[in-house]
Amino acid sequence: MAEEGGKPEGEGDKKVVHVYPLVKHSDMVEEMRTEAIELSITACEKYAQNYELAARTIKETMDKKFGTYWHVVVGEGFGFEVSYETKNILYLFFGGNLAIVVWKCS
């Protein structure tokens, strides 16, 4: 039976989950940003139940590819304020409410 708005019952209550990466902020160059996003998605899919292991994997790979001093936070429901080197930060959401922050500081 349809409600007054013309939608079937319960349809308006559905939660939208984004499975694609949603970049909230980044000042990385395009090539580095693309690699960091792909790396982050791969690690988070591989270690979906272990955010610490996903963050460690991302950090170690970024250290090897783009030099040392990378830091990574993977989780849900956190805030942050960091100092970072210009052109070296990425903040994105993946799979709904999973947030990933990757930044470099020396």
Side-chain angles (χ1 to χ4, degrees):
M1 171 164 226
E3 294 179 353
E4 290 180 16
K7 294 181 182 178
E9 287 183 25
E11 191 171 309
D13 299 335
K14 288 184 181 178
K15 183 177 177 184
V16 177
V17 176
H18 300 285
V19 293
Y20 56 89
L22 177 64
V23 177
K24 294 299 278 184
H25 176 74
S26 177
D27 68 352
M28 290 180 172
V29 295
E30 185 67 31
E31 181 181 312
M32 184 186 290
R33 179 173 51 237
T34 303
E35 281 200 46
I37 291 170
E38 289 175 1
L39 172 63
S40 299
I41 292 169
T42 303
C44 289
E45 286 176 340
K46 185 174 183 180
Y47 304 110
Q49 301 301 318
N50 190 340
Y51 297 155
E52 184 180 350
L53 194 53
R56 182 178 296 135
T57 302
I58 297 166
K59 184 227 182 313
E60 289 173 354
T61 307
M62 292 296 286
D63 281 345
K64 288 177 186 173
K65 286 188 176 186
F66 302 108
T68 57
Y69 304 116
W70 285 94
H71 305 275
V72 180
V73 176
V74 177
E76 301 174 18
F78 65 89
F80 69 95
E81 181 176 336
V82 297
S83 297
Y84 65 93
E85 287 183 11
T86 306
K87 305 277 187 205
N88 287 295
I89 190 168
L90 173 67
Y91 173 40
L92 69 118
F93 286 94
F94 175 71
N97 59 349
L98 181 63
I100 304 160
V101 184
V102 181
W103 77 97
K104 183 178 184 178
C105 64
S106 51

